[in-house]
Amino acid sequence: EVQTKSVEHSSGFTQKLEKLVEYNIEKIEETGTLTIGGDKVPTDKNFAAHFSAPIGTVIMVTNPENKQTVFVKVVSNFAISDDSSVIIKLSQFSADEISVEENGNIVLSYAR
């Protein structure tokens, strides 16, 4: 059994949750924008800061324009503002891997 819930936030990003009841796990898919770099994001590896995913979570990041994908590890969190659709801060290394630019659209997928 799968329970699905979609939420569109006022800041401009969307979140889709699929709960796999039998396994007690949630698959989260988010769409929004990204920034590159940040205070606590190392630039030379596949790391990122996310607004809500627990530190240590591995997130699949997809550039919807070219379908390139990279897996990043969450190393810090940040507060999301009401007027921003930024949902992740990628390292420069990760952004280069999927050919995405500052404030580009992004699709994230992870489990919790």
Side-chain angles (χ1 to χ4, degrees):
E1 180 184 349
V2 177
Q3 298 172 345
T4 303
K5 180 173 101 173
S6 294
V7 179
E8 189 165 325
H9 296 268
S10 60
S11 60
F13 75 93
T14 60
Q15 195 173 46
K16 178 181 169 187
L17 283 76
E18 291 181 353
K19 184 168 185 160
L20 304 165
V21 178
E22 184 179 346
Y23 301 103
N24 194 29
I25 196 168
E26 288 181 322
K27 176 186 172 204
I28 297 123
E29 187 173 290
E30 299 168 338
T31 57
T33 60
L34 71 116
T35 59
I36 297 172
D39 295 342
K40 298 177 182 175
V41 180
T43 59
D44 60 339
K45 294 192 173 143
N46 288 328
F47 290 131
H50 188 268
F51 74 97
S52 67
I55 292 173
T57 301
V58 175
I59 298 178
M60 183 174 75
V61 182
T62 305
N63 179 346
E65 293 179 16
N66 60 18
K67 305 293 186 225
Q68 290 182 319
T69 300
V70 66
F71 288 89
V72 298
K73 184 175 183 179
V74 176
V75 294
S76 66
N77 295 118
F78 64 93
I80 191 167
S81 62
D82 291 338
D83 60 346
S84 174
S85 64
V86 174
I87 56 176
I88 195 164
K89 296 178 180 182
L90 283 183
S91 66
Q92 184 66 55
F93 184 82
S94 299
D96 291 344
E97 291 252 325
I98 59 172
S99 304
V100 69
E101 295 184 11
E102 184 82 16
N103 296 317
N105 291 325
I106 208 75
V107 178
L108 308 179
S109 183
Y110 61 99
R112 67 173 174 203

